[in-house]
Amino acid sequence: GNTTSANFSNLGNLEAHRDKQKDRLELRLTWPGTDLQPQHWYQRSNPFVTRSRGVTGYKPVSCPHSSSGWGGLQWDGRFAILSGSSSKAEKNKGWWWYAIGSYHEHGG
């Protein structure tokens, strides 16, 4: 992929960025070309390696978007590679808000 693209991600390399002392990933989700503020958080589970829904060790740093079950990134595999509708109440509803690597447009 184009590593200089604003939309570039390297999901297979997330473990290389794990804080070994605190056993967590520090993640940021941005929407280039929009006025949306980024999500910034920590989580213990690696959503690309843990191929099931749900997040462990979620701790927000600055997450201005909390609707639709936001609770960190989880494996999706149905509508997108990853999604953020991962709060305990929403993770099994099949929602895929905050998608990364979506397979099609929402509602499309």
Side-chain angles (χ1 to χ4, degrees):
N2 180 358
T3 59
T4 61
S5 169
N7 288 320
F8 178 78
S9 65
N10 189 356
L11 298 174
N13 197 32
L14 282 177
E15 281 303 314
H17 303 283
R18 181 177 292 279
D19 181 329
K20 303 277 192 265
Q21 291 180 327
K22 296 182 179 178
D23 188 29
R24 66 184 185 187
L25 297 167
E26 181 175 2
L27 301 171
R28 182 180 302 266
L29 181 58
T30 63
W31 295 272
T34 73
D35 292 331
L36 293 171
Q37 295 297 309
Q39 299 282 77
H40 181 200
W41 74 100
Y42 299 107
Q43 70 182 61
R44 186 169 297 116
S45 54
N46 180 332
F48 195 68
V49 173
T50 306
R51 300 278 169 115
S52 61
R53 294 179 70 82
V55 172
T56 59
Y58 170 75
K59 180 180 179 188
V61 175
S62 175
C63 294
H65 316 288
S66 60
S67 64
S68 301
W70 170 257
L73 288 175
Q74 66 184 350
W75 176 256
D76 187 278
R78 183 173 175 201
F79 298 107
I81 296 170
L82 306 178
S83 69
S85 297
S86 56
S87 70
K88 290 182 181 185
E90 312 304 340
K91 75 175 186 176
N92 294 318
K93 288 186 176 180
W95 290 359
W96 54 289
W97 299 106
Y98 311 96
I100 294 179
S102 59
Y103 303 130
H104 58 271
E105 290 183 31
H106 183 266

